[in-house]
């Protein structure tokens, strides 16, 4: 079997040693602290493996990578590309979480993109995309045996054309009738007339209204066979040749093109599909702001249903953004909360920093920004306001009336207050010293818009098994693994989501195996200890499934219970079985016993070490 062979290694305190590490083995480097274990494993083996791999890349690629220094040795052969997993958490970014580090959250986002169902925030019903055939099935199941209109909306804003040109184009397209909601069709009120003439006119008008089926005001929501639809009064159907339209033109506000009027029977489904296709086409044609086709179905007794190619509510028309992986990512502007920009917290004025000692009075400088030498003018304004409103300058801040404290903090028309001062300073942030001054009195607070989830509020409306993705990331890895194992999908969704589900389950299992089952996916990576971060990386490498790689690890069992050490050894053996070579710097007796090869450094520390003694 081939081995990594090195000779003449003099890195740090190494004394020109020669050593062999069998490929595809689990090798432990042990010995006293300072005997040269890390010098051999990290600064020689890993450094040379990484350097040779980087040198094999193109010049274009190398300019983006740090140039690795060549270790001090005479020669080395058979060394594969190397990955170091050190016991040091170097992550400083607030955007990095356990989920992003292990890439588990990427597969969760993909799962929600493919299997998640968006719900309307107003009516709490699933939002669906309708093709003409799907829409026809929905209409038949909801309004079987009833008569009604199929309408294509022409909105007030974003019309492709207006006035006579619009009327002419509608006629050219074969449109015969339009439907005008009651808000548009209602005429201005006339003065009351006395006698029978007024009564006759009133009765006549009532009959006309009843005959023409008026009004389009959403009043109630009804249920029929599981479907939801709006209940409305009906508006007015007008011929395009109507003298009123010819003379005054088309309505300025919203109106609808009457595509068809028919009875909704299963036998007429072909005609219904054609009419919906035409309604989708017309709704797109006459509006520059609509990106997907839509149709309104209105029965003669005022029941209303919306059918749309967009992800929208069939009752109120609420439209949902497209479900993509980026929509569930706080590192993308598509999904990140608009207020905190995906950080989960905002920097706001901290009362405890502005008033560090509430036992002090205003005259003693209770409000720190007003006590600064540069705040002479602000102090003078504060004293003048307090004198005018009988606020005692010598009473401790905590003993002042709440009304007075709120007035000084919030400000009003007479005095700008603490918040007013900082609002003014925000306009001067182009000056360095002002930015430093403001930062002294601010602290991070949980974002009020997303409540710390980092994502837009709409994300909470996409559910899978009645849970949004944010609830899953709050679970411990052990609980999340149990939840995902019980997750059942059906039909085509199961086939589509098979690979994302497998990846999620495998990665969560690896995290449990390395002993970090108690952490959550939304935990910031920078808050992990060095050992936790190392085991996180170890689980991540298992999930990647690399082979023919040299892994160099630094005491992965530190801080682990002996029971967890056994599981970690099993994980290390899994890495080796994938066709990798492991070099582990370790003191733990159980790990040394499980190794296939041992290199002991010594015999002492510092200048007394640096030799291979076994």
């Amino acid at each position: 079997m081939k081995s990594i062979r090195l000779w003449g290694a003099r890195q740090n305190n190494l004394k020109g040693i020669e050593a062999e590490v069998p490929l595809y083995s689990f090798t432990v480097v042990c010995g006293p602290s300072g005997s040269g274990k890390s010098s051999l494993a990290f600064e020689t083996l890993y450094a040379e493996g990484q350097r040779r791999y980087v040198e094999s890349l193109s010049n274009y690629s190398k300019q983006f990578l740090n140039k690795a220094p060549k270790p001090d040795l005479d020669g080395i052969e058979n060394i594969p590309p190397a990955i170091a997993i050190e016991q040091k958490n170097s992550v400083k970014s607030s955007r990095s979480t356990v989920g992003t580090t292990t890439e588990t959250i990427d597969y969760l986002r993909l799962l929600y993109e493919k299997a998640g169902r968006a719900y309307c925030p107003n009516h709490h019903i699933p939002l669906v995309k309708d093709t003409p055939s799907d829409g026809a099935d929905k209409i038949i199941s909801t309004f079987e045996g009833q008569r009604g209109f199929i309408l294509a909306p022409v909105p007030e804003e974003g019309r492709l054309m207006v006035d006579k040109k619009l009327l002419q184009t509608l006629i050219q397209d074969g449109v015969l009738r339009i439907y005008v909601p009651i808000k548009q069709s209602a005429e201005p009120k006339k003065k009351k007339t006395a006698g029978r003439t007024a009564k006759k006119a009133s009765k006549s008008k009532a009959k006309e209204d009843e005959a023409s089926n008026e009004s389009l005001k959403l009043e109630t929501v009804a249920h029929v066979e599981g479907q939801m639809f709006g209940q409305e009064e009906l508006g007015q159907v007008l011929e395009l040749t109507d003298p009123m339209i010819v003379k005054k033109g088309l309505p300025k506000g919203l109106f609808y093109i009457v595509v068809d009027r028919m009875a909704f029977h299963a036998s007429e489904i072909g005609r219904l599909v054609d009419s919906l296709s035409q309604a989708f086409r017309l709704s797109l044609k006459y509006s520059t702001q609509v990106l997907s086709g839509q149709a309104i179905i209105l029965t003669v007794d005022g029941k209303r249903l919306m059918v749309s190619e967009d992800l929208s509510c069939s009752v109120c028309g609420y439209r949902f953004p497209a479900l993509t992986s980026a929509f569930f990512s706080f590192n993308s502007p598509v999904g990140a909360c608009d207020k905190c920009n995906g950080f989960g917290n905002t920097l706001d004025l901290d009362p405890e920093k502005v008033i560090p000692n509430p036992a002090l009075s205003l005259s003693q400088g209770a409000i720190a920004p007003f006590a600064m030498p540069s705040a002479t003018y602000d102090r003078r304004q504060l004293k003048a306001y307090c004198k005018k409103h009988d606020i005692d300058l010598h009473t401790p801040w905590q003993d002042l009336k709440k009304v007075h404290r709120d007035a000084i903090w919030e400000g009003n028309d007479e005095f700008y207050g603490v918040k007013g001062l900082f609002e003014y300073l925000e306009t001067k942030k182009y000056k360095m010293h002002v930015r430093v001054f403001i930062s002294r009195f601010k602290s991070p607070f949980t974002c009020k818009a997303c409540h710390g989830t980092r994502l837009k509020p709409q994300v909470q409306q996409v559910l899978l098994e009645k849970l949004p993705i944010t609830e899953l990331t709050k679970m411990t890895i052990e609980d999340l693994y149990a939840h995902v194992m019980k997750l059942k999908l059906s039909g085509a969704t199961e086939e589509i989501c098979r690979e994302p589900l497998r990846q999620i389950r495998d990665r969560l299992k690896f995290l449990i195996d390395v002993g970090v089952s108690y952490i959550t996916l939304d935990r910031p990576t920078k808050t992990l200890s060095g050992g936790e971060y190392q085991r996180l990386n170890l689980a991540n490498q298992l999930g990647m499934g690399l082979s023919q790689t040299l892994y160099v690890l630094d005491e992965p069992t530190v801080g682990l219970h002996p029971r967890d050490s056994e599981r970690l050894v099993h994980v290390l053996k899994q890495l080796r079985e994938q066709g990798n070579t492991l070099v582990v710097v370790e003191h733990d007796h159980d790990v040394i016993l499980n190794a296939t090869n041992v290199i002991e450094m010594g015999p002492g520390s510092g200048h007394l070490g640096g030799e291979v003694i076994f």
Side-chain angles (χ1 to χ4, degrees):
M1 183 172 66
K2 282 189 176 182
S3 299
I4 303 170
R5 195 172 75 84
L6 60 91
W7 61 93
R10 293 177 295 276
Q11 187 70 24
N12 297 337
N13 66 337
L14 299 181
K15 297 176 179 176
I17 64 169
E18 182 177 347
E20 282 193 25
V21 177
L23 288 172
Y24 318 118
S25 70
F26 177 6
T27 300
V28 167
V29 182
C30 59
S33 295
S35 60
K37 302 188 300 297
S38 295
S39 297
L40 173 62
F42 288 95
E43 297 184 46
T44 304
L45 284 171
Y46 165 67
E48 184 63 12
Q50 185 199 40
R51 189 188 69 83
R52 290 194 181 186
Y53 174 69
V54 171
E55 287 298 322
S56 71
L57 301 175
S58 66
N59 289 331
Y60 177 77
S61 300
K62 281 192 281 188
Q63 69 178 326
F64 301 108
L65 301 169
N66 293 326
K67 190 174 182 180
K70 190 177 189 307
D72 186 5
L73 79 165
D74 291 341
I76 190 169
E77 60 185 17
N78 295 331
I79 188 165
I83 293 175
I85 305 178
E86 297 185 83
Q87 197 178 109
K88 182 174 68 175
N89 187 353
S90 57
V91 176
K92 303 297 180 189
S93 172
S94 298
R95 288 194 174 275
S96 176
T97 65
V98 171
T100 58
T101 302
T102 61
E103 299 179 5
T104 310
I105 193 70
D106 296 332
Y107 292 101
L108 267 179
R109 289 168 185 155
L110 190 60
L111 182 66
Y112 267 78
E113 177 191 349
K114 301 300 181 186
R117 293 292 300 273
Y119 285 77
C120 174
N122 304 316
H123 300 104
H124 309 290
I125 60 172
L127 307 181
V128 291
K129 292 182 179 180
D130 296 309
T131 62
S133 57
D134 292 337
D137 291 336
K138 184 188 291 186
I139 294 164
I140 295 297
S141 64
T142 309
F143 300 134
E144 174 70 41
Q146 300 183 50
R147 292 185 63 81
F149 300 95
I150 297 172
L151 310 172
V154 180
E156 182 178 358
E157 295 182 5
R159 288 186 184 178
L160 186 66
M161 53 195 78
V162 293
D163 300 333
K164 290 184 179 180
K165 190 173 181 181
L166 176 60
L167 178 60
Q168 185 179 357
T169 308
L170 285 170
I171 293 170
Q172 287 175 355
D173 278 347
V175 176
L176 301 176
R177 301 175 186 86
I178 62 170
Y179 173 85
V180 185
I182 192 170
K183 289 181 181 178
Q184 307 296 333
S185 61
E187 295 181 3
K189 291 183 180 179
K190 296 180 180 179
K191 292 181 180 180
K192 291 182 180 179
T193 55
R196 293 179 181 177
T197 310
K199 288 182 181 178
K200 284 183 180 179
S202 177
K203 286 181 182 178
S204 175
K205 183 69 172 70
K207 286 181 181 179
E208 287 177 10
D209 290 350
E210 189 178 350
S212 59
N213 302 322
E214 295 184 354
S215 162
L216 189 63
K217 185 178 179 183
L218 187 63
E219 292 179 345
T220 62
V221 173
H223 291 261
V224 171
E225 296 179 3
Q227 297 289 344
M228 296 184 73
F229 53 84
Q231 182 70 37
E232 306 174 354
E233 296 174 16
L234 294 176
Q236 189 175 8
V237 178
L238 299 173
E239 300 277 347
L240 288 185
T241 55
D242 190 291
M244 187 175 72
I245 291 180
V246 174
K247 184 178 179 181
K248 296 183 178 180
L250 292 165
K252 301 295 182 185
L254 170 71
F255 70 89
Y256 299 85
I257 297 168
V258 179
V259 177
D260 199 356
R261 179 173 180 173
M262 60 181 291
F264 302 124
H265 291 295
S267 58
E268 296 286 341
I269 196 164
R271 174 181 170 183
L272 187 54
V273 170
D274 289 342
S275 297
L276 285 177
S277 301
Q278 191 176 355
F280 286 169
R281 182 181 62 81
L282 291 172
S283 66
L284 283 169
K285 178 175 180 179
Y286 289 102
S287 175
T288 58
Q289 295 181 352
V290 175
L291 301 177
S292 56
Q294 54 183 284
I296 306 296
I297 288 74
L298 195 64
T299 65
V300 292
D301 56 352
K303 293 169 186 173
R304 180 178 186 270
L305 182 71
M306 174 179 279
V307 179
S308 174
E309 290 179 313
D310 204 357
L311 203 60
S312 61
C313 176
S314 58
V315 180
C316 61
Y318 172 81
R319 290 187 180 180
F320 204 80
L323 289 184
T324 61
S325 291
F327 181 68
F328 300 98
S329 172
F330 51 79
N331 288 326
S332 165
V334 177
C337 171
D338 293 325
K339 187 172 182 182
C340 66
N341 294 320
F343 284 100
N345 54 56
T346 53
L347 285 174
D348 292 323
L349 208 56
D350 189 348
E352 292 184 3
K353 288 185 176 180
V354 176
I355 306 168
N357 186 0
L360 296 179
S361 65
L362 293 173
S363 62
Q364 292 173 320
I367 304 175
F370 285 78
M372 298 283 181
S374 59
T376 306
Y377 172 78
D378 300 311
R379 280 197 301 275
R380 194 160 56 241
Q381 294 293 317
L382 174 62
K383 288 177 181 178
Y385 178 77
C386 291
K387 184 177 179 181
K388 183 177 180 180
H389 292 273
D390 295 326
I391 301 173
D392 188 5
L393 293 170
H394 303 289
T395 301
W397 173 264
Q398 61 192 10
D399 296 334
L400 288 174
K401 292 180 181 178
K402 188 177 184 302
V403 179
H404 293 159
R405 291 202 307 268
D406 289 345
I408 293 171
W409 183 267
E410 299 289 340
N412 50 41
D413 295 337
E414 299 177 62
F415 177 60
Y416 44 82
V418 175
K419 281 192 173 180
L421 171 63
F422 279 89
E423 285 171 6
Y424 167 74
L425 291 174
E426 290 286 342
T427 65
K428 304 293 180 183
K429 280 179 70 173
Y430 58 87
K431 299 177 182 178
M432 173 64 77
H433 69 279
V434 174
R435 292 201 298 275
V436 172
F437 179 84
I438 292 173
S439 66
R440 289 175 60 184
F441 299 101
K442 284 191 172 184
S443 293
F445 292 92
T446 302
C447 176
K448 293 178 182 177
C450 67
H451 305 290
T453 62
R454 302 177 177 226
L455 296 165
K456 289 179 177 175
Q458 294 98 312
V459 175
Q460 306 296 326
Q461 294 158 219
V462 184
L463 307 180
L464 180 61
E465 293 284 318
K466 299 181 180 179
L467 291 175
I469 192 171
T470 52
E471 289 298 318
L472 268 58
T473 57
K474 288 178 185 176
M475 295 180 184
T476 63
I477 286 169
E478 191 171 9
D479 292 341
L480 179 57
Y481 180 69
H483 174 78
V484 173
M485 289 303 292
K486 291 187 292 184
L487 192 64
K488 298 292 182 185
L489 301 175
S490 57
T493 307
E494 183 180 12
E495 185 66 29
I496 293 168
C497 298
R498 182 175 294 167
E499 181 60 20
L501 260 179
R502 186 188 69 80
Q503 288 283 354
I504 292 166
R505 288 166 178 165
D506 287 351
R507 287 168 188 270
L508 292 175
K509 183 67 168 61
F510 295 147
L511 287 167
I512 293 170
D513 288 344
V514 297
V516 289
S517 60
Y518 54 89
I519 61 178
T520 59
L521 291 184
D522 63 355
R523 180 170 167 179
T525 310
K526 67 179 184 180
T527 64
L528 299 174
S529 69
E532 286 173 330
Y533 182 64
Q534 185 187 35
R535 291 194 286 278
L536 215 66
N537 281 333
L538 191 58
N540 195 28
Q541 292 300 324
L542 267 174
M544 287 183 179
L546 295 179
S547 62
Q548 299 185 35
T549 304
L550 171 63
Y551 283 99
V552 185
L553 289 87
D554 183 17
E555 300 187 39
T557 61
V558 167
L560 280 184
H561 189 277
R563 177 189 61 199
D564 294 322
S565 295
E566 290 178 14
R567 291 194 295 183
L568 185 64
V569 168
H570 176 68
V571 169
L572 294 174
K573 287 182 176 179
Q574 277 185 275
L575 264 180
R576 185 196 64 192
E577 287 164 7
Q578 288 178 358
N580 299 298
T581 305
L582 268 71
V583 175
V584 183
V585 176
E586 189 55 85
H587 296 282
D588 188 88
H589 185 252
D590 292 330
V591 177
I592 295 171
L593 282 177
N594 279 280
T596 54
N597 192 52
V598 175
I599 298 174
E600 185 172 359
M601 303 297 295
S605 302
H607 69 280
L608 299 175
E611 296 181 14
V612 177
I613 63 171
F614 178 78

